[in-house]
Amino acid sequence: MAGLEVLYTCVGGSIDCPQDAVICFVHWEIIKSGYRCVGSGDTACAGDRRSELLPAGWSDNKELYSLRYQGNNSEDHILLKAITADSSLIFNLMRSSTQQVSDLTISISEQVDADQLDAFDSVFRDMAGLSDMVKTQLLAVVGKASERPGGRSRREDEERRRGEDPLRMPPRRPGSQQPWPDHMVPPFATGGADLDPFGARGPGGMIMDPLRSGYPRSGLDPSSGIPDILPPGAVPPGARFDPFGPVGRHRPGPDPDHMPPPGYDDMFM
């Protein structure tokens, strides 16, 4: 960790107890995740500036450490606090943009050799183990500074907002058919084939299409018209046609429906 060694050397004059060394280590892990320190304390100051270094006065209070960080987005801030309790250091981290909080308790004596504060090579007992603890337990809610809250990009946020709007229609792009979102049903998805006069989607919902039933056809072409029933052109060429009565019903001779049965003399029956 060359960067940590440079940082530790720069602030070596301010490290006079084991918890200072732990704070320096955790600070560098936050810096590696993409954040920059903007100052100490809970509130912002006029002279705050982004830096990889620890701010002046960061170790004045050995009982309570408080540091503020900022990501690449000016609205992405995190607040780190550490409280000394007996032989442990209790960390609490909050990301302001999501109000997510994480915590970590580190045993100071297990991680730092109090007799080697002046020697970076031997001051930390298990640098790899301590780094893993900080990343998995303390920085888990933070992620990378380039990420938006929840680890999503700006484009992913926009797509998510579109998917959550039940009234939003998908954009139309010429030359391509866009899939419909899972929560939306395409128009005429149910019974739509019955409304398509040209049969673009197949036989549709008809139980039997008399012109596409698979049986030999009589040569009837409804587009040319049906005598005494439909004029020519009433049915578009190639359209499905469901006759609304028996074809050829006007045949020569009397129509049986015109003659009442024997003994029928009540016109209202």
Side-chain angles (χ1 to χ4, degrees), residues 43-121:
T43 58
C45 301
D48 287 348
R49 65 181 184 87
R50 291 165 51 89
S51 175
E52 295 184 359
L53 301 176
L54 284 162
W58 66 274
S59 62
D60 291 347
N61 189 345
K62 306 298 183 182
E63 301 297 325
L64 175 62
Y65 299 85
S66 181
L67 296 171
R68 291 176 288 108
Y69 298 85
Q70 184 185 71
N72 296 329
N73 182 358
S74 60
E75 298 179 357
D76 188 8
H77 296 269
I78 60 176
L79 175 63
L80 175 70
K81 289 191 175 184
I83 301 174
T84 303
D86 297 330
S87 60
S88 299
L89 201 56
I90 303 174
F91 287 89
N92 182 277
L93 184 144
M94 183 183 72
R95 189 177 189 182
S96 60
S97 59
T98 60
Q99 297 297 310
Q100 290 178 296
V101 178
S102 61
D103 58 79
L104 171 65
T105 300
I106 296 177
S107 175
I108 300 175
S109 59
E110 291 181 2
Q111 299 296 336
V112 176
D113 187 348
D115 297 330
Q116 301 292 328
L117 294 179
D118 296 333
F120 173 80
D121 293 338

Side-chain angles (χ1 to χ4, degrees), residues 23 29 57 63 65 97 107-108 110 138 144 157 183 192 203 212 217 219 225 231 242 256 260:
I23 294 295
E29 290 295 331
E63 301 297 325
Y65 299 85
S97 59
S107 175
I108 300 175
E110 291 181 2
L138 190 63
K144 294 293 184 180
D157 281 344
H183 69 280
R212 293 177 174 84
R217 296 170 56 178
D242 185 11

Side-chain angles (χ1 to χ4, degrees), residues 193-242:
D194 292 338
L195 304 177
D196 184 359
F198 295 100
R201 296 180 181 272
M206 280 183 165
I207 296 177
M208 183 186 70
D209 185 348
L211 301 183
R212 293 177 174 84
S213 60
Y215 292 97
R217 296 170 56 178
S218 62
L220 173 66
D221 183 8
S223 62
S224 61
I226 299 178
D228 299 329
I229 299 179
L230 287 176
V235 179
R240 293 193 302 264
F241 174 68
D242 185 11

